[in-house]
Amino acid sequence: ALTFHPVTTHLVSGSKDCTIKVFDFTKASVKKAVVSTQSTGDSVVKLWEVTSGNILNEYVGVTQHNHRTGAQFNHTEDLIIAPDEKGMAVGCWDARTAEPHPHLVSGHNNVIRGAIHSPTMPAFISCSDDFRARFWYYRGI
């Protein structure tokens, strides 16, 4: 997985060896690397504090055993969403408390490979192995 920060010059990568690296793409070196001690099959979404490497929150309730995908903050950063491989839905949690919200039924009939949230409105796009991309607008996210 790879993503750019929307404002700063940071880029974050995640790999199968459970290493998360933060780069400043104006320089050629890694700014910070965080290594998870969890197994790669735990299906737990984690929020890390980059400076210390501590886990701030864990978001449990989605399955991602065969198809790893990233989690996303919503446009207000109040919620986190992540695809659920088992239920073909999108998991949703309160970002601060890790309290789960009801999964969002996706309408897909195969594994969801990604969900990208809009940076400006309560909407996201999901894509699946059913060869469909779906646009979702939810006032609650």
Side-chain angles (χ1 to χ4, degrees):
L2 183 68
T3 191
F4 285 91
H5 189 280
V7 179
T8 69
T9 58
H10 293 103
L11 149 67
V12 179
S13 71
S15 66
K16 286 184 176 182
D17 68 358
C18 298
T19 303
I20 301 165
K21 294 182 180 174
V22 180
F23 298 87
D24 181 339
F25 61 81
T26 62
K27 300 178 174 109
S29 62
V30 175
K31 182 174 180 158
K32 179 75 177 178
V34 177
V35 179
S36 172
T37 57
Q38 301 294 322
S39 69
T40 57
D42 64 4
S43 293
V44 177
V45 176
K46 297 177 178 101
L47 179 62
W48 299 82
E49 200 284 313
V50 176
T51 307
S52 68
N54 293 329
I55 297 172
L56 298 177
N57 258 333
E58 294 185 346
Y59 308 90
V60 180
V62 295
T63 302
Q64 294 182 352
H65 290 297
N66 298 314
H67 306 283
R68 300 274 182 248
T69 60
Q72 298 272 315
F73 282 100
N74 72 334
H75 65 296
T76 61
E77 297 186 353
D78 292 328
L79 299 174
I80 292 179
I81 63 169
D84 180 9
E85 179 181 304
K86 186 177 178 182
M88 291 180 275
V90 176
C92 184
W93 301 266
D94 183 289
R96 288 165 187 80
T97 66
E99 231 6 82
H101 287 241
H103 278 26
L104 306 170
V105 177
S106 71
H108 289 290
N109 57 23
N110 209 327
V111 175
I112 299 172
R113 292 293 187 126
I116 306 296
H117 202 284
S118 167
T120 59
M121 59 193 248
F124 67 94
I125 294 174
S126 59
C127 59
S128 166
D129 278 356
D130 64 6
F131 304 104
R132 293 186 178 115
R134 296 185 181 260
F135 176 82
W136 304 96
Y137 182 85
Y138 284 97
R139 292 176 197 258
I141 61 165

